[in-house]
Amino acid sequence: MKLLRYGPKGQEKPGLLDAEGRIRDLSGHVTDITPAQLYGEELAKLKAIDPTTLPVVEGEPRYGVPVNGSRKFIAIGLNFADHAAESNLPEPSEPVVFMKAISCLSGPNDTVVIPRGSLKTDWEVELGIVIGKPASYVEQADALDHVAGYVLINDVSERAFQTERGGTWDKGKGCDTFGPVGPWIVTTDEVGDVQKLDMWLDLNGKRMQTGNTKTMIFGVAEIVSYVSQFMTLEPGDLITTGTPPGVGLGQKPEPFYLKAGDVMTLGIEKLGQQRQDVVAWSKEAVS
């Protein structure tokens, strides 16, 4: 099942994607896609719905963040060995955990705004985990039972804010619009083996990142188990799991970064695609 939210920002409606790639309206069954819909019997009820009985949504509406009400947006850094190498950092012995601000969440095709004063805004295609069942001190063997599904995420990052402004990554990770998520949540049964998914990102039509989740240093089960040792994971929580090589920071002979007018397109096998126009900061751009 592919669960989604569609419509203008702040007015999104619940929906799902049918087998023909059409949006179907779920408003007759739920008022929104919230953490409550991702857990237990509520998710089972949604899976039991015959999509052909739902109204087709006409046109090409905006996609919103596919779950409304996430309380945590957790990220794992340096989780691909070749990305760690291009960042001139050692491969971590344990997952590198940091937080992205909930306020940075945006729809998969919404505009990305370069922050005021930024010179090093970068791109990162990533696999996102959506928690469906509370997880605290979960064993790795049981960790996937706590996952509702997976999403495509662009972990947009400002490298100077991240590493040159006092040593805490969060400052470069949570700027407004730095968390495009979606277009939909794909439930675990439809994804199958999550450690065999191709992933890619293009900048202005040029392929920058090519990777596969099989080369993650720490897989999904290990990440969920590990993070649950430090905080309780709740339904709707998002975990973005690291990026393959090819980010702006790692370009040779010199790094280069996003500028106004750029266009990012990215995707992960089975999880859909995103497209973001990049604009300079202004009060209007982030309103």
Side-chain angles (χ1 to χ4, degrees):
M1 172 177 253
K2 296 181 175 73
L3 294 170
L4 57 89
R5 299 171 66 245
Y6 69 94
K9 187 174 181 179
Q11 303 175 42
E12 292 91 345
K13 295 181 178 180
L16 60 79
L17 199 74
D18 69 16
E20 287 73 43
R22 297 173 297 188
I23 298 175
R24 298 276 185 162
D25 182 30
L26 271 172
S27 297
H29 295 268
V30 292
T31 58
D32 205 348
I33 304 298
T34 68
Q37 270 72 58
L38 302 177
Y39 180 50
E41 292 183 1
E42 295 305 313
L43 182 60
K45 288 178 184 177
L46 293 181
K47 287 183 176 181
I49 296 170
D50 179 356
T52 64
T53 65
L54 302 173
V56 174
V57 177
E58 302 295 342
E60 297 183 0
R62 168 189 173 271
Y63 287 101
V65 179
V67 58
N68 181 25
S70 298
R71 284 162 52 91
K72 292 190 285 297
F73 192 1
I74 303 157
I76 307 300
L78 303 175
N79 198 27
F80 287 72
D82 33 13
H83 172 57
E86 74 174 354
S87 302
N88 295 313
L89 293 168
E91 186 174 320
S93 58
E94 295 186 35
V96 176
V97 180
F98 60 93
M99 307 295 286
K100 288 178 72 77
I102 289 294
S103 56
C104 83
L105 288 170
S106 59
N109 304 318
D110 290 351
T111 298
V112 167
V113 179
I114 297 175
R116 187 169 64 180
S118 167
L119 297 174
K120 297 181 179 181
T121 297
D122 207 346
W123 57 86
E124 295 189 18
V125 59
E126 302 200 3
L127 168 74
I129 303 165
V130 185
I131 298 299
K133 178 182 177 182
S136 178
Y137 298 105
V138 172
E139 296 298 327
Q140 187 171 328
D142 302 320
L144 295 185
D145 294 338
H146 296 259
V147 177
Y150 302 98
V151 288
L152 171 61
I153 293 176
N154 189 352
D155 176 21
V156 186
S157 309
E158 211 299 337
R159 302 302 186 187
F161 295 178
Q162 178 184 352
T163 62
E164 302 170 21
R165 299 286 299 273
T168 57
W169 283 21
D170 302 41
K171 286 184 284 189
K173 294 288 190 171
C175 303
D176 293 344
T177 76
F178 273 24
V181 177
W184 37 70
I185 299 168
V186 185
T187 53
T188 55
D189 56 309
E190 190 166 330
V191 172
D193 188 349
V194 71
Q195 303 299 164
K196 292 183 179 179
L197 303 179
D198 289 329
M199 50 202 307
W200 58 271
L201 183 145
D202 292 349
L203 179 63
N204 302 324
K206 180 180 178 181
R207 183 60 46 93
M208 305 304 295
Q209 292 187 270
T210 302
N212 188 288
T213 57
K214 67 184 178 183
T215 65
M216 290 166 61
I217 298 168
F218 307 105
V220 168
E222 187 169 2
I223 287 169
V224 172
S225 174
Y226 183 86
V227 175
S228 79
Q229 312 304 309
F230 302 98
M231 63 191 81
T232 297
L233 297 171
E234 303 167 301
D237 285 352
L238 300 168
I239 308 175
T240 192
T241 61
T243 197
V247 300
L249 175 68
Q251 298 301 311
K252 305 294 190 256
E254 295 292 335
F256 62 85
Y257 300 99
L258 294 170
K259 61 184 185 303
D262 283 344
V263 177
M264 293 179 283
T265 52
L266 56 147
I268 297 180
E269 181 183 358
K270 299 184 181 181
L271 302 186
Q273 300 185 19
Q274 300 182 354
R275 180 191 187 280
Q276 294 115 25
D277 295 319
V278 180
V279 302
W281 182 91
S282 68
K283 290 182 179 179
E284 293 75 20
V286 296
S287 61

